[in-house]
Amino acid sequence: MLFHVRMNVNLPAAMPAEEATRLKLDEKALAHRLQEEGKWRHLWRIAGQYANVSVFDVDSVDELHALLTSLPLLPYMQVEVMPLCRHPSSIRLDDR
């Protein structure tokens, strides 16, 4: 199942720089692993914002929920999820 996920990050201004750096490094490591596993198919920065648009390829909504709740930055994110399905006018036979 494919999901379009928008993540807006808002770290508190009072957060110590060392904590912010650690969270970002942990987030990056997890994002890399999930991309290598094929679960986080696309990751795009939204220009001028601390936000991204991503496409996840998972087996279920529960799996997506588990992945999103494992993100170190989740407590500082606003997340919007949209399930995707194939468009009948698409000329592609496979999205992989």
Side-chain angles (χ1 to χ4, degrees):
M1 300 176 73
L2 297 178
F3 293 90
H4 170 279
V5 179
R6 179 180 171 137
M7 297 177 235
N8 299 328
V9 182
N10 186 20
L11 295 177
M15 178 179 281
E18 304 80 35
E19 182 180 354
T21 298
R22 181 186 51 79
L23 283 170
K24 291 175 189 178
L25 288 173
D26 291 348
E27 183 90 9
K28 184 175 186 176
L30 181 55
H32 283 183
R33 182 175 61 81
L34 292 172
Q35 288 175 78
E36 290 167 359
E37 292 174 1
K39 299 293 182 182
W40 198 329
R41 291 247 313 261
H42 298 280
L43 175 55
W44 298 92
R45 169 70 41 99
I46 299 173
Q49 300 178 33
Y50 193 0
N52 73 72
V53 172
S54 296
V55 175
F56 285 84
D57 187 359
V58 293
D59 293 330
S60 68
V61 175
D62 290 332
E63 182 181 8
L64 177 65
H65 180 76
L67 292 179
L68 293 176
T69 58
S70 74
L71 296 174
L73 288 173
L74 182 70
Y76 309 101
M77 286 185 191
Q78 175 187 356
V79 179
E80 297 175 17
V81 176
M82 289 185 284
L84 301 173
C85 60
R86 191 147 195 72
H87 194 285
S89 296
S90 175
I91 63 170
R92 306 284 180 239
L93 298 176
D94 188 357
D95 294 317
R96 296 181 191 273

